[in-house]
């Protein structure tokens, strides 16, 4: 079985790896059977390297099938690197993508331009560990690696050479949206992250625990919450948004930033700071929010609701079917946004758990989440710690993380694209378990 190793440490490394897998598949050079977990590692640098080269790498391996010869495959791989924008540069300089043939069954060759197995496997845990994740039974044809692996220790500690460690992120499947509330009154974490040092530390924690997107909000929309003016909302948001883009460059994963707001004035200012998503709990009710999306081509999370803040006394009727009601609402709202110029691929739909639904209706929506595949868009679910979980527990707020994670496992098994959660670490474990046990071979 063929194993390819991929690495990137320029710009958006996660996206570079995703695009590389897509291009390899499209090239017909290989058929990707399985994808390893993602690993971070320090850059491998010579003594003369400038500081600008010291950028952390993201690495993974692909288990593949190919009908090409090794030499033909090498040429195909180099072509994919070129398509992704890799340019000739000094050997150890940062690169947008690096694709190596790590192993090919028990095949061996030692040519000037092609050595199989890769000659540096014994020195690079960021290559050997992903290989063994895909082929645990693989044996190096020339030497026993068991003592070496024992010295490297845990894949998760970061104590191996190049500070290599496995990350909770996965290249394919459900992505986690970490919640960062800079509010005094959110239902489970209000007041914890109002100050910049605490907010920045929490943002980094969420990313290291497995979030690829950070959703940052400054207005609580829980039942009974007091509305916040756009001016006050921006005063809370501006400090953290102003530093996140630069600060996140030093993190292993550079997250996408989402602004959780229903005020177009706030979204407009946030877009000037380079955010990637608008998460509008009002469902883009204000046409000016749609105009911003057209001008900036950001992702748009459109949430179903019957009013913001949520009102426990204002809920959907039971007839017709609630899935049908919400589906038709989404179709109509999408039609309006697309007519205004928003591209269909920008749209993400959120069924709006807890907004205009009884606890039983929220539970029913989650059980029937596949109904909304008919919208032909990505789906986001925000179920974390919400009060509908009182159907199964009397715990409050922050104590509902176990129930949240169990639902995350089920939603990931149903291929929901995004899960918006408070406790990223626990939910990442649940999502990764779902990926590991799903029948599909590519994980």
């Amino acid at each position: 079985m063929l194993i390819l190793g991929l690495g990137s440490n320029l710009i958006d490394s996660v996206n570079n790896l995703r695009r590389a897998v897509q291009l390899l598949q499209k090239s017909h050079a290989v058929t990707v059977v399985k994808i390893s977990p993602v690993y971070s590692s320090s850059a491998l640098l010579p003594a003369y390297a400038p500081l600008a080269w010291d950028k952390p790498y993201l690495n993974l391996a692909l288990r593949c099938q190919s009908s090409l010869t090794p030499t033909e495959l090498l040429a195909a791989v180099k072509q994919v690197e070129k398509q992704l924008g890799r340019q000739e540069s000094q050997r150890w300089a940062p690169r947008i993508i690096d694709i190596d043939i790590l192993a090919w069954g028990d095949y061996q060759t030692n040519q000037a331009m092609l050595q199989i197995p890769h000659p540096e496997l014994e020195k690079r845990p960021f290559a050997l560990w992903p290989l063994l994740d895909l082929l645990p039974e693989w044996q190096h044809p020339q030497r026993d690696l068991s003592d070496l692996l024992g010295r490297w220790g845990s894949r998760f500690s970061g104590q191996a050479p190049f500070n290599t460690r496995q990350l909770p992120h996965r290249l394919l499947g459900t992505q986690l949206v970490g919640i960062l509330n800079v509010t005094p009154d959110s239902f489970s974490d209000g007041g914890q992250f109002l100050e910049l040092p605490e907010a920045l530390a929490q943002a980094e924690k969420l990313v290291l625990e497995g979030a690829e997107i950070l959703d940052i909000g400054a207005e609580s929309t829980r039942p009974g919450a007091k509305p916040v003016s756009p001016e006050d909302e921006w005063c809370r948001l501006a400090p953290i948004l102003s530093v996140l883009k630069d600060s996140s460059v030093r993190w292993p994963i550079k997250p996408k930033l989402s602004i959780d707001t229903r005020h177009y004035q706030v979204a407009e200012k946030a877009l000037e700071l380079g955010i990637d998503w608008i998460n509008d709990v009002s469902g883009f009710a204000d046409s000016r929010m749609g105009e911003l999306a057209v001008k900036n081509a950001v992702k748009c999370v459109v949430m179903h609701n019957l009013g913001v803040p949520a009102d426990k006394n204002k809920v959907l009727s039971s007839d017709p079917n609630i899935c049908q009601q919400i589906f038709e609402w989404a179709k109509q709202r999408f039609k309006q946004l697309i007519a205004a110029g928003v591209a269909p691929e920008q749209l993400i739909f959120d069924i709006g758990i807890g907004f205009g639904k009884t606890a039983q209706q929220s539970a029913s929506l989650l059980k029937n989440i596949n109904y909304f595949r008919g919208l032909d868009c990505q789906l986001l679910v925000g179920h974390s710690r919400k009060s509908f979980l009182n159907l199964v527990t009397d715990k409050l707020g922050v104590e509902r993380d176990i129930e949240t994670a169990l639902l995350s496992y089920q939603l990931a098994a149903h291929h929901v694209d995004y899960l918006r959660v408070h406790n990223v670490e626990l939910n990442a474990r649940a999502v990764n378990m779902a990926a590991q046990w799903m029948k599909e071979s590519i994980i």
Side-chain angles (χ1 to χ4, degrees), residues 236-275:
R236 295 174 182 176
L237 287 167
I240 184 66
L241 289 178
S242 298
V243 301
L244 262 179
K245 279 286 185 182
D246 290 337
S247 298
S248 63
V249 171
R250 299 188 295 272
W251 304 346
I253 297 280
K254 191 174 188 297
K256 290 181 171 58
L257 302 182
S258 168
I259 186 72
D260 178 5
T261 185
R262 59 196 174 106
H263 297 125
Y264 87 93
Q265 306 97 316
V266 173
E268 186 173 39
K269 291 179 180 179
L271 285 164
E272 294 173 0
L273 296 179
I275 63 158

Side-chain angles (χ1 to χ4, degrees), residues 179-181 189 192-193 196-209 214 251 422-424:
I179 299 170
L180 180 59
N181 288 320
D189 59 1
Q192 294 184 33
F193 311 114
L196 181 57
E198 287 77 14
L200 189 57
Q202 177 67 2
E204 183 174 9
K205 178 176 181 286
L206 293 171
V207 172
L208 293 178
E209 289 178 345
L214 291 176
W251 304 346
H422 297 85
N423 187 330
V424 169

Side-chain angles (χ1 to χ4, degrees), residues 173-179 210-215 277 279 301 348-351 353 366 369 373 378-384 404-424 426-432 434:
T174 300
Q175 296 179 40
L176 295 180
V177 180
I179 299 170
E212 277 198 52
I213 302 99
L214 291 176
D215 191 42
W277 287 21
N279 179 15
V301 182
I348 300 170
F349 183 58
D350 179 353
I351 55 178
I353 294 296
L366 293 176
I369 193 66
R373 291 293 174 196
Q378 292 183 310
L379 300 178
L380 180 147
V381 172
H383 59 302
S384 183
T404 298
L406 289 169
L407 276 173
S408 292
Y409 178 95
Q410 294 292 333
L411 293 166
H414 284 286
H415 309 286
V416 171
D417 302 280
Y418 303 102
L419 299 177
R420 183 178 179 273
V421 296
H422 297 85
N423 187 330
V424 169
L426 187 61
N427 284 275
R429 288 160 59 187
V431 166
N432 289 339

Side-chain angles (χ1 to χ4, degrees), residues 270-319:
L271 285 164
E272 294 173 0
L273 296 179
I275 63 158
D276 306 285
W277 287 21
I278 298 173
N279 179 15
D280 182 357
V281 293
S282 76
F284 284 71
D286 188 334
S287 62
R288 292 172 294 185
M289 194 74 91
E291 292 169 7
L292 290 178
V294 173
K295 292 177 184 176
N296 295 275
V298 291
K299 289 281 190 180
C300 305
V301 182
V302 181
M303 191 190 82
H304 175 268
N305 68 92
L306 294 182
V308 180
D311 183 345
K312 292 181 178 180
N313 298 312
K314 189 177 182 181
V315 298
L316 288 169
S317 64
S318 57
D319 186 38

Side-chain angles (χ1 to χ4, degrees), residues 3 7 34 36 38 64 79 113 138 142 150-152 162 175 178 193 216 289 318 333 335 348 397 440:
I3 304 292
K34 197 170 184 180
S36 79
V38 178
C64 307
Q79 182 60 32
M113 297 298 294
W138 185 79
Q142 298 169 352
R151 292 197 301 273
W152 283 353
F162 305 105
Q175 296 179 40
F193 311 114
I216 306 146
M289 194 74 91
S318 57
R333 186 55 50 89
K335 183 178 179 181
I348 300 170
E440 285 73 8

